[in-house]
Coordinates of all heavy atoms in Angstrom, one line a residue:
F162 N 0.8 -1.2 0.0 CA 0.0 0.0 0.0 C 0.9 1.3 0.0 O 0.4 2.3 -0.6 CB -1.0 0.0 1.2 CG -2.1 -0.9 1.0 CD1 -2.3 -2.0 1.7 CD2 -3.1 -0.7 0.0 CE1 -3.4 -2.9 1.5 CE2 -4.2 -1.5 -0.3 CZ -4.3 -2.6 0.5
G163 N 2.1 1.2 0.6 CA 3.0 2.3 0.5 C 3.3 2.6 -1.0 O 3.3 3.8 -1.4
S164 N 3.6 1.5 -1.7 CA 3.9 1.7 -3.2 C 2.7 2.2 -4.0 O 2.8 3.0 -4.9 CB 4.5 0.4 -3.8 OG 3.5 -0.6 -3.9
A165 N 1.5 1.7 -3.6 CA 0.3 2.1 -4.3 C 0.0 3.6 -4.0 O -0.4 4.4 -4.9 CB -0.9 1.3 -3.8
R166 N 0.2 4.1 -2.8 CA 0.0 5.5 -2.5 C 1.0 6.4 -3.3 O 0.6 7.4 -3.8 CB 0.2 5.8 -1.0 CG -0.9 5.4 -0.1 CD -0.8 5.9 1.3 NE 0.4 5.5 2.0 CZ 0.4 4.3 2.7 NH1 -0.7 3.6 2.8 NH2 1.5 4.0 3.3
D167 N 2.2 5.9 -3.4 CA 3.2 6.7 -4.1 C 2.9 6.8 -5.6 O 3.2 7.8 -6.3 CB 4.6 6.0 -4.0 CG 5.2 6.2 -2.5 OD1 4.6 7.0 -1.8 OD2 6.1 5.4 -2.2
T168 N 2.4 5.7 -6.2 CA 2.3 5.6 -7.7 C 0.9 6.0 -8.1 O 0.7 6.4 -9.3 CB 2.6 4.2 -8.2 OG1 1.8 3.3 -7.5 CG2 4.1 3.9 -7.9
H169 N -0.1 5.9 -7.2 CA -1.5 6.1 -7.6 C -2.2 6.9 -6.5 O -3.1 6.5 -5.8 CB -2.3 4.8 -7.9 CG -1.7 4.0 -9.0 ND1 -0.6 3.2 -8.8 CD2 -2.1 3.9 -10.3 CE1 -0.4 2.6 -10.0 NE2 -1.2 3.0 -10.9
P170 N -1.7 8.2 -6.3 CA -2.3 8.9 -5.1 C -3.8 9.3 -5.3 O -4.4 9.7 -4.3 CB -1.4 10.2 -5.2 CG -0.9 10.3 -6.6 CD -0.7 8.9 -7.0
D171 N -4.3 9.2 -6.5 CA -5.7 9.5 -6.7 C -6.6 8.3 -6.4 O -7.9 8.5 -6.4 CB -5.9 10.0 -8.1 CG -5.4 9.0 -9.2 OD1 -4.5 8.2 -8.8 OD2 -5.9 9.0 -10.3
A172 N -6.1 7.1 -6.1 CA -6.9 5.9 -5.9 C -7.2 5.8 -4.4 O -6.4 6.1 -3.5 CB -6.2 4.7 -6.4
D173 N -8.4 5.2 -4.1 CA -8.8 4.9 -2.7 C -8.3 3.4 -2.5 O -8.4 2.6 -3.4 CB -10.3 4.9 -2.5 CG -10.8 6.3 -2.7 OD1 -10.1 7.3 -2.4 OD2 -12.0 6.5 -3.1
L174 N -7.8 3.2 -1.3 CA -7.1 2.0 -1.0 C -7.9 1.2 0.1 O -8.4 1.7 1.1 CB -5.7 2.2 -0.4 CG -4.8 3.1 -1.3 CD1 -3.4 3.3 -0.6 CD2 -4.6 2.5 -2.7
Y175 N -8.0 -0.2 -0.2 CA -8.8 -1.1 0.7 C -8.0 -2.3 0.9 O -7.3 -2.8 0.0 CB -10.1 -1.4 0.0 CG -11.1 -0.2 -0.1 CD1 -11.0 0.6 -1.3 CD2 -12.0 0.1 0.9 CE1 -11.9 1.7 -1.4 CE2 -12.8 1.2 0.7 CZ -12.8 1.9 -0.4 OH -13.6 3.0 -0.6
L176 N -8.2 -2.9 2.1 CA -7.7 -4.3 2.4 C -8.8 -5.1 2.8 O -9.6 -4.8 3.7 CB -6.6 -4.2 3.5 CG -6.2 -5.6 3.9 CD1 -5.2 -6.2 2.9 CD2 -5.5 -5.5 5.3
G177 N -9.0 -6.3 2.1 CA -9.9 -7.3 2.6 C -9.2 -8.2 3.6 O -8.2 -8.8 3.3
L178 N -9.7 -8.2 4.8 CA -9.0 -8.9 5.9 C -9.6 -10.3 6.0 O -10.7 -10.5 6.4 CB -9.2 -8.2 7.3 CG -8.5 -8.9 8.5 CD1 -7.0 -9.0 8.3 CD2 -8.8 -8.1 9.8
A179 N -8.8 -11.3 5.5 CA -9.3 -12.7 5.6 C -8.9 -13.3 6.9 O -8.1 -14.3 7.0 CB -8.6 -13.5 4.4
D180 N -9.5 -12.8 7.9 CA -9.1 -13.2 9.3 C -10.2 -12.6 10.2 O -11.0 -11.8 9.8 CB -7.7 -12.6 9.6 CG -6.9 -13.5 10.6 OD1 -7.5 -14.2 11.4 OD2 -5.7 -13.5 10.5
D181 N -10.1 -12.9 11.5 CA -11.0 -12.3 12.4 C -10.3 -11.1 13.1 O -9.1 -10.9 12.8 CB -11.6 -13.3 13.4 CG -10.5 -13.8 14.4 OD1 -9.3 -13.5 14.2 OD2 -10.8 -14.6 15.3
G182 N -11.0 -10.4 13.9 CA -10.3 -9.3 14.6 C -10.1 -8.1 13.7 O -10.8 -7.9 12.8
N183 N -9.1 -7.3 14.1 CA -8.9 -6.0 13.4 C -7.4 -5.9 12.9 O -6.6 -6.6 13.4 CB -9.2 -4.8 14.3 CG -10.6 -4.8 14.8 OD1 -11.5 -4.8 14.0 ND2 -10.8 -4.8 16.1
L184 N -7.2 -5.0 12.0 CA -5.9 -4.7 11.5 C -5.9 -3.3 11.0 O -6.9 -2.8 10.4 CB -5.5 -5.6 10.3 CG -4.1 -5.5 9.7 CD1 -3.1 -5.9 10.7 CD2 -4.0 -6.3 8.4
R185 N -4.9 -2.5 11.4 CA -4.8 -1.1 11.0 C -3.6 -0.9 10.0 O -2.5 -1.3 10.3 CB -4.6 -0.2 12.3 CG -5.8 -0.2 13.2 CD -5.5 0.7 14.4 NE -6.7 0.8 15.2 CZ -7.7 1.7 15.0 NH1 -7.7 2.5 14.0 NH2 -8.7 1.7 15.8
L186 N -3.9 -0.2 9.0 CA -2.9 0.2 8.0 C -3.1 1.7 7.7 O -4.3 2.1 7.5 CB -2.9 -0.6 6.7 CG -2.6 -2.1 6.9 CD1 -2.8 -2.8 5.6 CD2 -1.1 -2.3 7.3
D187 N -2.1 2.5 7.5 CA -2.2 3.9 7.3 C -2.9 4.2 6.0 O -2.5 3.6 4.9 CB -0.8 4.6 7.3 CG -0.2 4.7 8.7 OD1 -1.0 4.5 9.6 OD2 1.0 4.8 8.7
H188 N -4.0 5.0 6.0 CA -4.7 5.5 4.8 C -5.3 4.3 4.0 O -5.5 4.4 2.8 CB -3.7 6.3 3.9 CG -3.0 7.3 4.6 ND1 -3.6 8.5 5.1 CD2 -1.7 7.5 4.9 CE1 -2.7 9.2 5.7 NE2 -1.5 8.7 5.6

């Protein structure tokens, strides 16, 4: 996602969490 932000700053970023609980990633 760091590389995606750098190369595609106009895109919205999402993570599908294939797990239970929570996970935090910047932006």
Side-chain angles (χ1 to χ4, degrees):
F162 283 115
S164 73
R166 283 193 298 273
D167 290 343
T168 55
H169 299 80
D171 54 335
D173 295 331
L174 306 180
Y175 294 88
L176 174 73
L178 181 60
D180 214 327
D181 66 357
N183 299 303
L184 183 65
R185 291 182 178 274
L186 295 173
D187 290 342
H188 308 293

